[in-house]
């Protein structure tokens, strides 16, 4: 981690004012999301990208996610280009906002913890968006999840995973679990690492995601009232598929993401 990475100051006199206009906008945006999931996604939820042509439903998902990011004061910035058609995206994980950040640039089916399925409204929105739920610590659940991942990618849909197996804190990038990469090998699709990076005034903000011992609601409210910053999505060089080298695939993906997360001299 770069020594230039910084934390957001706790003292912020403008925070109450941001809630005044962001909360009403968020409520309107949620209603729009319910309409989107209940109408457009249900009508054409299985549409896939073919030959690089993005279906209408994917564009709607990206537009909604981009709008949500702006309500939270986050301007999504794409660096590099996502690979077309079916891809396994592997990204670093900081908080729940990572899903919307990647969705602002490329629609994909995410693998998420099973608890999210039971969250009011959020669980329904996630299910409508094609989320694959995994019960952490269960090998049986992981095997079932990987089977679904392979099926989705063979159908032409992209899947996004967080191979750290949980959120990192204070800018720490944890070890990537190699087993999840087998799904790309079985589906015969490329693996593209994605670095998610939060930046203000050219410097990485290491605590934009979850802080230690911070729950979902605490993080949600802190981010909703926080100052504006850029949220970068770095689409990196793909990792070569290797049927007998899942660990090396995981290490290469982690190395490329770690390099992209570093602050660089101007």
């Amino acid at each position: 981690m770069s020594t230039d990475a910084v934390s957001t100051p706790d003292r912020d006199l403008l925070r109450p004012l941001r809630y005044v206009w962001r909360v009403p906008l968020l409520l309107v945006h949620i209603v729009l999301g319910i309409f989107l999931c209940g109408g457009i996604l249900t009508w054409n939820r299985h549409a896939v990208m073919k030959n690089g042509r993005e279906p209408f439903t994917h564009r709607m998902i990206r537009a909604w996610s981009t709008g949500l990011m702006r309500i939270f004061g986050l301007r999504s910035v794409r660096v590099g280009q996502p690979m077309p058609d079916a891809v396994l995206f592997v990204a670093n994980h900081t908080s729940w906002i990572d899903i919307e950040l990647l969705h602002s640039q490329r629609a994909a089916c995410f693998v998420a913890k099973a608890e999210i399925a039971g969250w009011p409204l959020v669980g329904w929105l996630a299910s409508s968006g094609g989320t694959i739920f995994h019960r952490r610590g269960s090998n049986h659940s992981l095997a079932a999840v990987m089977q679904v991942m392979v099926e989705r990618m063979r159908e032409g849909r992209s899947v996004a995973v967080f191979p750290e197996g949980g959120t990192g804190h204070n800018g720490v990038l944890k070890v990537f679990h190699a087993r999840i990469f087998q799904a790309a090998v079985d589906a015969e699709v490329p693996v593209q690492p994605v670095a998610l990076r939060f930046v203000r005034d050219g410097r990485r903000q290491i605590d934009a995601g979850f802080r230690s011992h911070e729950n979902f609601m605490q993080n949600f409210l802190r981010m909703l009232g926080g100052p504006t910053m850029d949220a970068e999505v770095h689409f990196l060089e793909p990792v070569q598929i290797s049927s007998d080298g899942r660990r090396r695939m995981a290490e290469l993906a982690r190395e490329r993401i770690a390099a992209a997360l570093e602050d660089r001299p101007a």
Side-chain angles (χ1 to χ4, degrees):
M1 182 184 70
S2 169
T3 55
D4 290 334
V6 296
S7 300
T8 302
D10 290 326
R11 185 175 178 82
D12 185 356
L13 299 178
L14 296 179
R15 179 175 293 273
L17 294 178
R18 297 191 192 101
Y19 287 127
V20 170
W21 66 271
R22 286 182 181 176
V23 170
L25 282 177
L26 177 61
L27 294 176
V28 172
H29 202 69
I30 289 174
V31 172
L32 180 62
I34 293 173
F35 169 76
L36 179 66
C37 289
I40 297 174
L41 290 186
T42 300
W43 164 64
N44 199 19
R45 65 183 302 174
H46 297 298
V48 299
M49 178 181 285
K50 292 182 179 180
N51 301 319
R53 298 184 62 181
E54 187 179 35
F56 177 72
T57 49
H58 288 198
R59 293 197 297 270
M60 291 299 98
I61 290 172
R62 289 201 300 106
W64 190 86
S65 296
T66 299
L68 182 68
M69 300 285 293
R70 293 308 295 262
I71 291 171
F72 277 80
L74 301 172
R75 185 175 72 94
S76 55
V77 179
R78 178 189 295 181
V79 181
Q81 292 295 326
M83 299 188 70
D85 303 338
V87 182
L88 177 63
F89 294 111
V90 294
N92 57 301
H93 196 18
T94 62
S95 80
W96 61 275
I97 202 70
D98 298 336
I99 294 176
E100 298 306 327
L101 176 53
L102 205 155
H103 263 165
S104 72
Q105 302 298 330
R106 181 75 144 79
C109 302
F110 276 84
V111 176
K113 61 181 182 180
E115 291 84 349
I116 293 178
W119 291 0
L121 185 62
V122 174
W124 178 72
L125 289 171
S127 298
S128 300
T131 299
I132 305 167
F133 295 108
H134 167 50
R135 195 176 308 282
R136 290 178 181 173
S138 170
N139 288 331
H140 176 74
S141 173
L142 179 58
V145 164
M146 291 186 63
Q147 181 178 351
V148 174
M149 289 173 59
V150 172
E151 292 172 355
R152 296 272 179 93
M153 290 186 287
R154 284 177 175 170
E155 292 170 357
R157 306 178 73 180
S158 293
V159 174
V161 298
F162 302 116
E164 293 172 271
T167 55
H169 305 296
N170 299 320
V172 174
L173 187 64
K174 299 190 294 185
V175 174
F176 281 13
H177 295 284
R179 184 177 175 184
I180 203 75
F181 288 78
Q182 185 63 43
V185 176
D186 294 342
E188 299 181 326
V189 301
V191 175
Q192 185 169 28
V194 183
L196 306 178
R197 188 171 181 268
F198 299 88
V199 179
R200 184 182 296 112
D201 299 326
R203 305 177 71 186
R204 182 185 176 201
Q205 303 295 302
I206 62 173
D207 68 343
F210 281 118
R211 293 176 176 175
S212 299
H213 310 298
E214 185 178 51
N215 61 35
F216 168 77
M217 187 54 64
Q218 290 170 332
N219 178 263
F220 184 94
L221 293 175
R222 179 169 63 85
M223 294 191 71
L224 182 60
T228 58
M229 60 179 154
D230 289 341
E232 300 176 347
V233 187
H234 294 250
F235 291 98
L236 307 172
E237 180 185 352
V239 172
Q240 184 176 356
I241 295 295
S242 173
S243 59
D244 58 353
R246 296 180 308 184
R247 169 48 52 195
R248 184 55 185 158
M249 291 170 63
E251 291 172 350
L252 280 174
R254 185 183 182 280
E255 288 172 6
R256 291 172 186 173
I257 290 174
L261 291 176
E262 290 291 329
D263 281 327
R264 294 173 175 82

